[in-house]
Amino acid sequence: MRITIIAVGKVKEKYLRDAIAEYAKRLTAYCNLNVIEVMDEKTPENASSALNEQIKKKEGDRILSKIPDRAYVIALAINGSMLSSEEFAGKLEALSVQGRSEICLVIGGSLGLAPEVLERAEYKLSFSRMTFPHQLMRAILLEQVYRAFKINAHEPYHK
């Protein structure tokens, strides 16, 4: 299976880069992982809602240009479906059985995802109704992808 993660912005904190690198390394035993960063837009402190929409559109266009044509797209969205780790593992396994060997997971920037990206997504996934920094979300997502592969392989993993 090929997993592509498209994320807005660079991860600046070393501890997050280290966590991301660790889970990316662990995932090499289970899938072909590709992490793509697209440039984020500077957002002024008191930006109008119109400017925020323009920023999301620019970031969204960058995201859409990187999504592989045949990929099944899962967008991380606060209003998406919440799954347990086991349910997420089941979702990935079901996609594999259906012949969907290319999965693309999308993490938006600080303003979220453009409507065009959400429309392109076949599935919207929420990790919580809480808001997380998009840089931290990358580490959390990679950990859950790794956990899903361990669950599907019936291999032990800490709880």
Side-chain angles (χ1 to χ4, degrees), residues 6-34:
I6 301 174
V8 174
K10 294 197 175 297
V11 176
K12 297 171 183 79
E13 292 84 1
K14 183 182 181 325
Y15 70 94
L16 289 175
R17 287 195 315 267
D18 290 347
I20 290 164
E22 177 62 28
Y23 285 109
K25 182 178 86 176
R26 291 180 187 192
L27 278 165
T28 61
Y30 300 98
C31 67
N32 182 350
L33 178 68
N34 186 21

